Amino acid sequence: MNHVVIKKTLRNLPKLMFGFVIIALGINLTIYADLGLNPWGTFHQGIASISGLSFGVVSQITGIVIILFSLFIKIYPGVGTLLNMFFIGFLVDIFDTMQIIPLNDSLIVRFIYLIIGTFLFNYGIYVYLCCELGAGPRDGLMVGLVKLTGINVSIIRPLIEITILLIGIFLGGSYGIGTVLNAVGGGYILNLIFKFHKFNPKETKQMIITDLIAAKSQA
């Protein structure tokens, strides 16, 4: 069993990283669309505006807080959780520096950026979740609540993100049509992707970090 866990981790790491790349590209497209941050982005910006901390630091601290909260509903971090916390933000900054997405003032082009970016963001979530190496802090909370309540992801995710969005707006975070699209439609887009690939988050068994540690100690 220990070799199976290690082999699964090594085999799925490239796919996990590919999922992060897709998510980062999606985030960059929505940023360049300049039509509103996603709900978590609005929340992070709001916290940053009143705390004086950078957007990235707020995102990291939020991830840690979510992981600690998730422990109470028995959702434990995995390799994917920890890598998610670091690499998505890292890749977003890299792609931004490389300027691989051309700036455009056309509202039509920016709206296309928003639609494609929203789809890529959600598709990247599916790609890395199906690796079963551990959900990211925010997605882990979503999957945990789906399992705990039995409620569909198309309902759970909007409830989480609308709550986060309202807090972010109250704290001074920016918002727009892109924010509304992500808050209201993101869960439905993700659920359609899950259904297309016949992926059921209720049936997944995300690996937790102790599984890998135990496997290595027995190797």
Side-chain angles (χ1 to χ4, degrees):
M1 182 63 182
N2 54 330
H3 295 294
V4 172
V5 172
I6 294 172
K7 286 181 180 179
K8 178 182 177 180
T9 301
L10 295 176
R11 183 179 67 250
N12 286 336
L13 275 177
K15 185 175 181 180
L16 181 80
M17 296 304 300
F18 181 60
F20 294 162
V21 169
I22 297 174
I23 291 173
L25 284 172
I27 291 173
N28 273 106
L29 278 166
T30 55
I31 290 173
Y32 278 68
D34 194 25
L35 292 171
L37 296 171
N38 65 38
W40 283 106
T42 300
F43 176 78
H44 295 153
Q45 190 179 60
I47 295 290
S49 67
I50 65 171
S51 67
L53 298 173
S54 72
F55 188 97
V57 170
V58 171
S59 178
Q60 291 172 334
I61 293 174
T62 301
I64 294 171
V65 171
I66 292 173
I67 288 174
L68 292 175
F69 173 78
S70 297
L71 293 175
F72 287 100
I73 57 174
K74 299 181 179 180
I75 299 298
Y76 304 106
V79 174
T81 313
L82 303 179
L83 294 180
N84 178 299
M85 289 180 62
F86 174 77
F87 276 105
I88 291 179
F90 174 76
L91 289 168
V92 168
D93 288 342
I94 289 293
F95 292 150
D96 186 46
T97 301
M98 293 170 62
Q99 297 183 338
I100 61 175
I101 301 169
L103 288 171
N104 198 299
D105 293 328
S106 168
L107 182 60
I108 294 176
V109 173
R110 288 163 54 202
F111 191 73
I112 291 172
Y113 280 180
L114 174 63
I115 297 299
I116 296 175
T118 301
F119 174 78
L120 288 178
F121 178 81
N122 285 283
Y123 198 84
I125 291 175
Y126 156 73
V127 170
Y128 94 80
L129 280 180
C130 70
C131 294
E132 296 187 333
L133 294 181
R138 295 154 190 80
D139 299 320
L141 176 63
M142 175 189 69
V143 172
L145 290 175
V146 168
K147 290 182 175 180
L148 185 67
T149 63
I151 300 174
N152 196 286
V153 67
S154 63
I155 298 175
I156 287 293
R157 181 173 172 181
L159 283 176
I160 294 173
E161 295 197 340
I162 289 172
T163 301
I164 288 299
L165 171 60
L166 292 175
I167 295 173
I169 292 174
F170 176 77
L171 295 175
S174 62
Y175 59 97
I177 187 173
T179 314
V180 176
L181 175 63
N182 276 279
V184 177
Y188 291 97
I189 294 171
L190 185 60
N191 196 48
L192 287 174
I193 293 170
F194 284 171
K195 286 185 176 180
F196 179 81
H197 289 282
K198 298 179 181 178
F199 176 78
N200 188 345
K202 298 177 186 177
E203 297 175 354
T204 60
K205 186 181 184 302
Q206 295 292 336
M207 185 186 299
I208 58 177
I209 197 70
T210 52
D211 292 335
L212 187 59
I213 294 172
K216 286 186 175 181
S217 66
Q218 295 171 18

